[in-house]
Amino acid sequence: MPVTSSSDNERERWNQRYLEAAGAETWTVPDPFLAQAFSEYILPLFPHPGSALDLAGGAGRHAIWLAKQGWEVTLIDVSDAGVEQARQNAGALASHMHFVVDDFTHFKASQTKFEAGFEVVMAFFYLEREIFSEMVKAVRPGGLLVYKTLTLAQLKLPGGPKNPAYLLEAGELLRMADGLRVLHYREEVAEKATAELVARKGI
C-alpha cells in the first residue's frame, strides 16, 4: 500500500473544501486589507505595476484583485482544485498570471520560479512559521510583505481553526518581521481576531 504523505493529506483536505464551496464569496471576495495596503503603501512605492507572489492563494481572490491593477501575479497553493478555480475565476487575466500547485510547507525562495524575487509578497489567513523567513527572502530589496492572519483570540470566536499551531500569539507577527521596516501593524478582535502587517525590506 502506498504511503500517504502529510502534504497529500493536506491537498486532499483543501481540494474537498474548494470543491464543496466552489464560487462561494469566501473564496472570491478579497479581504479589505488588501485594497487598503495597496492604496496606502503599494501604490505610492510602486506607481508602475510590478510582480507579486500570493502564497496559499487558493481560488485567487487576492491574486486576481492585484492582477486587475495591472500586476503580474504568481499564485501558489497546495490545492490543485483551488488553483484551477483561481485560473477560471481570473478569466482573461489568467494569461498575465502564473499558477503553481506546490506543497509550500517546504517553500524555498531560491527555487528557480521564485529566485528573481517580487516587489510584493502577500499571504492571507495562512500560517506556517517555518517558512516565514523564506517568504521574506522572496521579497526584493525595497519590496513589501503584506500579511494578515488569525490570532489566538479567535479561539473565543466562532469559526476559524482551533489548533493553536495555526494562530498567532499577541505580538508574534511583529517579532517574526524583525529586520523589516514595519509600515503598518494592527491586531484587532471584531468578527475575527486578526493581526495584519505591511513591512518593507531594506534596499
Side-chain angles (χ1 to χ4, degrees), residues 17 20 33 35 68 71 76 84 137 140 153 160 175 185 202:
R17 288 187 64 178
E20 289 175 353
F33 178 52
K68 287 178 179 177
W71 282 64
I76 177 174
E84 181 55 33
K137 289 179 185 177
R140 288 180 181 169
R175 295 191 295 273
Y185 184 77

Side-chain angles (χ1 to χ4, degrees), residues 4-196:
T4 303
S5 70
S6 59
S7 60
D8 288 337
N9 290 335
E10 189 77 353
R11 176 172 288 112
E12 187 56 38
R13 182 172 71 87
W14 280 103
N15 279 347
Q16 192 66 30
R17 288 187 64 178
Y18 283 116
L19 291 171
E20 289 175 353
E25 185 175 293
T26 306
W27 306 131
T28 57
V29 178
D31 190 278
F33 178 52
L34 176 57
Q36 176 195 344
F38 184 82
S39 63
E40 294 183 17
Y41 304 102
I42 298 175
L43 193 56
L45 281 172
F46 303 106
H48 304 292
S51 63
L53 173 66
D54 184 12
L55 195 66
R61 59 184 183 137
H62 299 109
I64 293 168
W65 188 92
L66 199 54
K68 287 178 179 177
Q69 317 310 313
W71 282 64
E72 181 181 343
V73 186
T74 297
L75 179 153
I76 177 174
D77 198 276
V78 70
S79 167
D80 46 339
V83 171
E84 181 55 33
Q85 284 185 30
R87 194 189 307 273
Q88 293 178 14
N89 292 338
L93 286 170
S95 60
H96 303 289
M97 300 173 66
H98 308 280
F99 301 92
V100 180
V101 178
D102 204 353
D103 172 17
F104 36 70
T105 55
H106 305 293
F107 173 77
K108 295 289 184 183
S110 58
Q111 293 178 36
T112 303
K113 54 184 171 286
F114 306 121
E115 63 184 357
F118 302 85
E119 278 83 15
V120 171
V121 173
M122 59 183 177
F124 284 79
F125 301 103
Y126 171 73
L127 177 61
E128 188 68 54
R129 292 171 175 87
E130 288 74 13
I131 68 163
F132 192 87
S133 62
E134 291 297 322
M135 291 177 59
V136 173
K137 289 179 185 177
V139 181
R140 288 180 181 169
L144 295 173
L145 175 66
V146 178
Y147 196 99
K148 180 176 182 177
T149 198
L150 300 169
T151 66
L152 282 170
Q154 183 67 32
L155 293 174
K156 298 179 181 179
L157 301 174
K162 301 306 177 186
N163 184 342
Y166 301 116
L167 300 168
L168 288 167
E169 298 175 5
E172 183 181 5
L173 184 54
L174 270 181
R175 295 191 295 273
M176 290 166 64
D178 183 46
L180 300 176
R181 180 187 172 200
V182 175
L183 305 180
H184 167 88
Y185 184 77
R186 179 170 65 185
E187 291 185 24
E188 68 174 359
V189 179
E191 292 182 10
K192 296 178 180 178
T194 58
E196 58 188 37

